[in-house]
Amino acid sequence: MAQTFDTIEKYPGLSMEEARQALDAACAVAKADLGEFTDHFPSSNSFSGFYEPTENVEWTTGFWTGSLWLAYEHTQDPAFRKAAEIQVESFLNRIENKIDVNHHDMGFLYTPSCVAAYKLTGNETARKAAILAADHLAERYREKGNFLQAWGNPGEPKEYRLIIDCLLNLPVLFWASETTGDPSYREKAENHIRTAMKCLVRPDNSTYHTYFFDTETGAPLRGVTHQGNRNGSAWARGQAWGVYGTALSYRYEKNPAYVELFKKVTDYFVEHLPEDLVPYWDFDFDTGSSEPRDSSAAAVAVCGILEMAEHMDGEEAAPYLTAADRMLKALVDRCANRDIKTSNGILLHGTYARGSAENTCTDRGVDECNTWGDYFYMEALTRRLKKWNPYW
Ligand code: GLY
């Protein structure tokens, strides 16, 4: 345990002016990128500081469009809206033609891009695309086990598992029920949350990344990591998905048990931060380690805390808000890109994947920008600056 809520409180806080300047700077980077990334999308992670243009593939393109919507909200610059609207068309094409969508990440893809577009501008193409994405995600629901299968062909035994990240894919289902009046999306999301909460949080409040189920009986089998250092360790971004995922679960269900789970997983996250408050990619590593950081994990966790604080009373929320403020200050001071000549990303020092003896990953996007780190950093700053109507 590297921190307590008392030690964190002593770190410097982020003033409103600093937050505003940081979001201005992030929007300036996004504006400079529009030429390259309007008809194309940035790659999931940067390479030596620079994103490369890709088609609308992988689970990560929605974050760029979401960053454009956040930039539009902050600046009212129509150039951001225009680019985001062009990308909404691409998202409709992607789901209609089922391009690289044999996985559960419909929420990551369609919430910050299309649900945001619909909420902000009433864009009907975006609404259509997001409902199709919700339909597609709902098809991954497995009755045997009551969960949404993350990867692979639905029902395939070697991929019969859920992953903690999926908690952020559920808001598109809740939204689909709201906008269509069909409760079935919401029911699947609620069942998935119940299953995930039972399996993923360990007695020490760290979390499993993925959890397997028996295809015949639906019985929970075992927790296994995919991107963490060990099966039993806390992958920093997985823990952060847990922080934001429990907060969003509470937002939609108002189940008091999810407040308690939020506190548990958030306490673990905060108490395992290193001295400079930018987490290493796995909480196996602490101050002084030569392992890389994952700034995106901190950005996601800050958003989760700022979401949950809206549902807690002032006294209960205070230590969490202080921790979020100090983490965000650390991101602004240590990880924000200040020079578009050396990077076209917004938040430096993320890690997409790091290979280890116990996981099956190879190094990817290590100490680089990634599109979700950029997005959640901008969302965190937005939440800090105003009462924000979430896309999630
Ligand atoms: N959702 C995949 C990741 O966080 O890398």
Side-chain angles (χ1 to χ4, degrees):
M1 193 179 286
Q3 300 284 354
T4 65
F5 282 88
D6 287 341
T7 58
I8 286 241
E9 197 180 353
K10 297 186 175 60
Y11 283 76
L14 185 72
S15 70
M16 289 296 265
E17 183 52 23
E18 286 172 313
R20 196 186 53 72
Q21 284 175 9
L23 191 52
D24 287 348
C27 292
V29 175
K31 183 83 189 260
D33 286 346
L34 280 181
E36 199 169 17
F37 304 130
T38 292
D39 296 323
H40 286 87
F41 290 82
S43 45
S44 303
N45 54 270
S46 62
F47 299 86
S48 302
F50 286 88
Y51 291 112
E52 294 173 357
T54 69
E55 299 303 320
N56 192 348
V57 291
E58 298 198 53
W59 64 280
T60 52
T61 45
F63 297 117
W64 169 240
T65 312
S67 299
L68 298 181
W69 285 123
L70 290 171
Y72 177 61
E73 282 201 66
H74 182 60
T75 63
Q76 293 299 303
D77 180 341
F80 289 120
R81 176 173 174 170
K82 195 164 163 231
E85 284 172 347
I86 289 169
Q87 291 171 14
V88 163
E89 301 287 337
S90 165
F91 279 101
L92 178 63
N93 177 60
R94 179 168 177 175
I95 193 66
E96 282 186 330
N97 292 293
K98 301 278 191 292
I99 299 166
D100 196 13
V101 291
N102 192 23
H103 55 78
H104 68 150
D105 283 326
M106 296 307 110
F108 281 133
L109 285 168
Y110 283 84
T111 301
S113 60
C114 292
V115 176
Y118 180 64
K119 286 185 177 175
L120 291 173
T121 69
N123 184 318
E124 287 294 333
T125 304
R127 179 175 181 273
K128 179 177 173 189
I131 293 171
L132 289 174
D135 288 338
H136 186 68
L137 175 56
E139 284 169 19
R140 299 188 72 83
Y141 186 77
R142 301 293 93 200
E143 299 286 345
K144 296 255 174 67
N146 295 307
F147 69 97
L148 291 151
Q149 186 185 321
W151 301 314
N153 293 328
E156 193 177 312
K158 73 175 188 355
E159 286 296 358
Y160 209 67
R161 58 173 153 175
L162 61 77
I163 76 172
I164 195 164
D165 323 28
C166 189
L167 293 170
L168 275 282
N169 285 322
L170 304 179
V172 78
L173 297 179
F174 286 107
W175 171 83
S177 277
E178 271 167 31
T179 197
T180 64
D182 174 353
S184 69
Y185 303 98
R186 181 188 180 101
E187 283 158 17
K188 290 186 172 74
E190 289 179 351
N191 289 348
H192 177 97
I193 290 171
R194 261 192 293 285
T195 307
M197 299 300 188
K198 261 193 280 189
C199 299
L200 292 173
V201 184
R202 303 184 186 111
D204 70 351
N205 302 331
S206 66
T207 51
Y208 286 113
H209 182 195
T210 89
Y211 216 95
F212 277 98
F213 295 81
D214 188 296
T215 45
E216 296 304 318
T217 64
L221 293 177
R222 64 189 177 283
V224 172
T225 199
H226 176 62
Q227 278 154 283
N229 189 44
R230 291 177 297 117
N231 289 333
S233 71
W235 174 46
R237 195 159 68 251
Q239 194 76 21
W241 295 136
V243 172
Y244 204 173
T246 49
L248 289 169
S249 299
Y250 183 78
R251 172 188 182 84
Y252 282 104
E253 286 204 58
K254 300 291 183 297
N255 180 342
Y258 300 159
V259 183
E260 294 314 306
L261 280 168
F262 165 85
K263 287 185 188 167
K264 287 179 178 185
V265 297
T266 305
D267 290 359
Y268 188 97
F269 192 99
V270 168
E271 288 166 354
H272 289 77
L273 287 168
E275 267 171 20
D276 62 10
L277 306 185
V278 181
Y280 291 87
W281 67 280
D282 190 290
F283 285 118
D284 267 357
F285 309 110
D286 203 346
T287 307
S289 170
S290 58
E291 286 293 317
R293 310 304 181 112
D294 184 10
S295 55
S296 73
V300 170
V302 170
C303 291
I305 293 173
L306 296 182
E307 170 63 39
M308 193 69 209
E310 292 188 17
H311 312 290
M312 292 166 131
D313 71 40
E315 207 177 316
E316 193 181 26
Y320 292 100
L321 282 172
T322 301
D325 177 68
R326 305 312 190 249
M327 277 193 268
L328 188 53
K329 167 83 171 156
L331 289 179
V332 169
D333 287 354
R334 297 173 192 280
C335 302
N337 177 22
R338 292 191 164 71
D339 183 359
I340 56 169
K341 288 195 288 306
T342 54
S343 172
N344 62 0
I346 291 167
L347 189 70
L348 308 171
H349 309 309
T351 292
Y352 186 153
R354 177 81 163 150
S356 78
E358 240 178 88
N359 73 26
T360 53
C361 296
T362 48
D363 283 3
R364 178 172 180 187
V366 171
D367 197 16
E368 294 285 351
C369 304
N370 50 61
T371 55
W372 60 92
D374 291 356
Y375 168 82
F376 285 107
Y377 172 67
M378 290 180 71
E379 182 186 307
L381 291 167
T382 303
R383 283 179 175 274
R384 181 75 169 72
L385 286 168
K386 67 173 186 181
K387 182 153 173 46
W388 183 62
N389 184 22
Y391 305 158
W392 303 97

